[in-house]
Amino acid sequence: MSSTLLEVTRAAHEEVEGLERLVVKDLQNVPPTSKDRLLQQHRVRNLIETIISTSEKLVEIYEDKDNARKDEIGALGGQTATGTNVFSAFYDRLKETREYHRKHPFGRFVDPNEDYEALLKEEPVIEFSGEEAFGRYLDLHEMYNQYINSKFGDVIEYSAYLDVFSQPGKILHKLKLTRQYREYMENLLEYLIYFFQRTEPLEDLDRKFSEVVSDFEQRYADGKVEGWENHGQDNGDVLSQDTVIDLDYYSTVEELMEVGPEKLKEALGASGLKTGGTLQQRAERLFLTKHTPLEKLDKKHFAKPSRAGEQNGSAKSKLESDSGKEIALTEAKVKKLCSLLEETIVRTKQNVEKKQALTYEEMEAEREEEETRVESESDDDDQQIYNPLKLPMGWDGKPIPYWLYKLHGLGQEFKCEICGNYSYWGRRAFERHFKEWRHQHGMRCLGIPNTKNFNEITSIEEAKELWKRIQERQGVNKWRPELEEEYEDKEGNIYNKKTYTDLQRQGLI
């Protein structure tokens, strides 16, 4: 391998430079859809990881721990241990180089002058569940089940859980120290990291977490972490506050004895005094501390410390403190990820609330539409839009949502014979068409006025029959002698009965 070390170095440099040009060329293209943008980021991430691994190999070569590179460079200048001729060394090197390329004819080679359409159109495999809809929504159902079936959680709806899972500081402090809560937070953090890495592959999450850790250390030391403000107080301190007896209220030992043996025992133990003896002995021992400080009491009144017990208690306290700090740090990381995924969380809640108002059939149709939309989404005018449900096109040139299609009843067809058997889809469009030009033109051709009486009439025969009844009701076909009976004067002029009578009364006829 050492005989071709320089050739390996040259090929590695060439590969890194070519991949860098390829990354720049890919990032110069603006993805038309969210899916294409995500695929582009994963494609660039894979190229960057290849560059990093190749660069690490170059670093190892340049460190030259076994002096193989130094010996090979020396051999190029004729500096050989056996004193071989310079030309012989050159041809030996040429032969080794040709042999290397003969054995590795398919080494990856990236030339900026070549066409990289195949590499740029490569679609990395990204695993998303059906609920995640290719990174649009979070799938926290498993975390939700852990939450509602735990002691620290509440029985709430999934939509309400999406509001509280990012606020662990509201949970009681004593419940946070349990193993169940620690496992829940670890699983939640693991899922959020996995989701973030799939949806934002170019983000440096390690750098963001390092900032969180540095800020957390200072705030935790100052007791300013939400839900962990009293982390410096151990359980013994809290117990002593609850068990201390205020001796100012008692003037004699007899009065103090009324407190009871158990209360006296707890108070003595909190002060480090002996807890044994009768009720009166316990009261007398505790009453001594009313006028005498603990430092000045005789040592015979104090309990003998157990070295093993102190060590075990100290170790247990330290273990609980370290465990609490780890849980608090996990909470801080979860909050950071929730702030980075804030838009996704809001979008997930809106999607859940919308699904609650849909039937099972509508949810299935919506899911199929979402899948087809993700697969066929493109702004290319030449690309045929995939529309298996035959939904009407919206203002943006894409099929309208299925829930809107059902809301307006666009699956119902209404035909109008007066309009030449033209089809209207949806009740709203059908009612509106009676005032439109096509229906008005059909009514004029039939010689019928387009009034409100003819709304909902789509048959020609029904329209004619209705018009005939209206005319009969208004008296259009009745015999009216005063207007239709004809009279003739001496000169042969013809008048109707009313006009002839009026002229005759005037003496004009």
Side-chain angles (χ1 to χ4, degrees):
M1 185 66 183
S2 61
S3 60
T4 58
L5 192 60
L6 294 180
E7 186 62 24
V8 172
T9 305
R10 181 203 61 77
H13 276 291
E14 189 175 19
E15 181 180 5
V16 169
E17 293 176 3
L19 291 176
E20 288 175 351
R21 296 190 187 98
L22 192 59
V23 168
V24 172
K25 185 175 181 180
D26 198 359
L27 291 177
Q28 287 176 344
N29 300 326
V30 180
T33 64
S34 58
K35 177 182 178 181
D36 293 335
R37 181 190 65 83
L38 188 58
L39 292 175
Q40 182 194 64
Q41 291 185 355
H42 277 273
R43 188 165 53 243
V44 171
R45 176 63 181 267
N46 294 338
L47 293 174
I48 292 176
E49 290 179 352
T50 305
I51 292 174
I52 293 174
S53 61
T54 306
S55 300
E56 290 175 351
K57 294 179 181 178
L58 284 172
V59 171
E60 293 180 1
I61 293 175
Y62 283 116
E63 287 178 352
D64 198 17
K65 295 180 179 180
D66 56 355
N67 294 326
R69 183 171 178 272
K70 181 179 179 181
D71 295 340
E72 190 166 348
I73 294 175
L76 289 177
Q79 302 174 5
T80 59
T82 58
T84 309
N85 190 294
V86 175
F87 293 102
S88 300
F90 170 77
Y91 285 111
D92 290 341
R93 287 290 304 149
L94 180 61
K95 181 179 179 181
E96 292 174 358
T97 303
R98 289 176 176 174
E99 184 68 18
Y100 171 80
H101 284 286
R102 186 184 66 80
K103 292 181 179 179
H104 304 84
F106 301 108
R108 187 165 185 176
F109 176 71
V110 182
D111 189 350
N113 297 323
E114 290 184 359
D115 186 16
Y116 298 112
E117 293 301 324
L119 288 176
L120 294 178
K121 291 182 179 180
E122 180 183 354
E123 294 188 359
V125 178
I126 312 173
E127 295 182 357
F128 284 108
S129 65
E131 186 72 19
E132 291 172 339
F134 211 81
R136 288 180 55 83
Y137 312 117
L138 290 169
D139 185 6
L140 294 172
H141 287 85
E142 184 177 351
M143 303 297 103
Y144 167 71
N145 291 330
Q146 291 187 22
Y147 180 83
I148 63 175
N149 292 305
S150 63
K151 294 182 179 179
F152 58 84
D154 298 325
V155 181
I156 56 178
E157 296 291 337
Y158 181 64
S159 57
Y161 172 74
L162 295 174
D163 290 329
V164 302
F165 84 95
S166 59
Q167 303 172 0
K170 296 183 178 181
I171 299 175
L172 295 178
H173 177 75
K174 63 180 181 179
L175 297 177
K176 292 183 178 182
L177 298 175
T178 60
R179 181 169 61 94
Q180 190 180 35
Y181 180 77
R182 183 175 67 253
E183 293 177 353
Y184 163 77
M185 290 304 300
E186 291 175 352
N187 294 336
L188 178 60
L189 177 62
E190 182 180 359
Y191 172 76
L192 293 177
I193 291 175
Y194 181 52
F195 183 85
F196 187 81
Q197 289 175 343
R198 287 178 294 163
T199 55
E200 299 293 339
L202 296 182
E203 291 287 343
D204 190 356
L205 191 58
D206 293 336
R207 180 178 60 82
K208 295 182 183 296
F209 276 167
S210 63
E211 296 174 357
V212 171
V213 171
S214 60
D215 179 65
F216 168 80
E217 292 291 344
Q218 182 63 37
R219 294 175 61 245
Y220 188 81
D222 297 338
K224 296 181 179 180
V225 178
E226 183 182 2
W228 301 88
E229 291 83 356
N230 298 324
H231 66 274
Q233 297 181 356
D234 57 13
N235 296 333
D237 294 333
V238 178
L239 181 64
S240 63
Q241 293 175 2
D242 296 336
T243 56
V244 164
I245 299 176
D246 190 355
L247 299 178
D248 293 337
Y249 292 99
Y250 305 95
S251 57
T252 62
V253 176
E254 288 74 13
E255 294 179 0
L256 188 58
M257 291 172 60
E258 297 178 359
V259 174
E262 294 299 327
K263 188 69 175 177
L264 290 174
K265 182 177 180 181
E266 292 178 358
L268 290 170
S271 301
L273 300 175
K274 292 181 179 180
T275 59
T278 62
L279 176 61
Q280 182 176 0
Q281 290 175 345
R282 293 179 183 179
E284 291 175 351
R285 194 179 304 122
L286 183 60
F287 195 76
L288 292 174
T289 61
K290 180 176 181 179
H291 303 289
T292 306
L294 290 175
E295 296 81 6
K296 296 183 179 180
L297 285 177
D298 194 342
K299 293 182 178 181
K300 66 179 181 179
H301 298 298
F302 289 93
K304 295 182 179 180
S306 174
R307 189 175 186 85
E310 289 181 356
Q311 291 179 352
N312 294 336
S314 177
K316 182 179 180 181
S317 176
K318 186 176 184 303
L319 182 61
E320 291 180 353
S321 177
D322 294 342
S323 177
K325 186 175 181 180
E326 291 178 1
I327 295 173
L329 180 58
T330 303
E331 291 181 353
K333 292 180 178 180
V334 168
K335 289 181 180 179
K336 180 63 176 179
L337 284 171
C338 290
S339 64
L340 295 175
L341 298 171
E342 183 178 1
E343 295 183 2
T344 306
I345 295 174
V346 173
R347 192 162 54 240
T348 303
K349 185 179 179 182
Q350 293 174 349
N351 180 59
V352 171
E353 292 175 347
K354 185 182 73 172
K355 284 185 175 181
Q356 290 176 346
L358 300 178
T359 63
Y360 176 76
E361 291 76 11
E362 292 173 342
M363 290 174 60
E364 286 297 313
E366 187 78 11
R367 183 183 60 80
E368 293 178 1
E369 181 196 358
E370 185 71 19
E371 292 178 355
T372 56
R373 185 192 64 79
V374 171
E375 294 176 358
S376 62
E377 184 181 20
S378 176
D379 292 340
D380 190 358
D381 296 335
D382 297 333
Q383 182 176 355
Q384 183 178 2
I385 297 178
Y386 185 60
N387 187 13
L389 300 178
K390 307 299 182 183
L391 300 175
M393 308 304 290
W395 60 269
D396 56 353
K398 298 177 182 178
I400 65 173
Y402 184 76
W403 65 268
L404 186 62
Y405 173 81
K406 296 289 290 184
L407 177 65
H408 292 287
L410 299 181
Q412 297 178 338
E413 181 183 10
F414 299 89
K415 284 190 175 182
C416 182
E417 186 180 2
I418 299 174
C419 297
N421 289 325
Y422 191 84
S423 296
Y424 296 93
W425 296 91
R427 183 70 189 177
R428 183 179 178 184
F430 173 70
E431 294 177 352
R432 191 171 56 241
H433 99 279
F434 290 104
K435 298 181 181 179
E436 295 177 349
W437 66 270
R438 183 179 284 107
H439 192 81
Q440 291 178 354
H441 176 72
M443 295 293 285
R444 282 197 301 267
C445 293
L446 295 175
I448 303 174
N450 188 26
T451 62
K452 292 184 178 179
N453 297 324
F454 295 91
N455 281 0
E456 303 292 332
I457 302 298
T458 59
S459 174
I460 295 177
E461 292 299 327
E462 292 179 2
K464 289 181 177 180
E465 183 66 25
L466 179 59
W467 175 237
K468 183 178 179 180
R469 291 200 302 268
I470 291 174
Q471 286 179 326
E472 291 177 354
R473 190 182 308 113
Q474 294 177 350
V476 176
N477 294 332
K478 289 184 179 180
W479 171 254
R480 292 175 294 179
E482 69 275 8
L483 297 177
E484 298 178 359
E485 189 176 3
E486 298 179 348
Y487 287 82
E488 184 176 358
D489 61 2
K490 296 179 180 180
E491 297 178 358
N493 297 321
I494 297 176
Y495 303 94
N496 59 34
K497 182 178 181 181
K498 184 176 183 300
T499 304
Y500 183 83
T501 305
D502 291 340
L503 294 174
Q504 191 178 38
R505 288 175 181 174
Q506 296 175 11
L508 299 176
I509 297 178

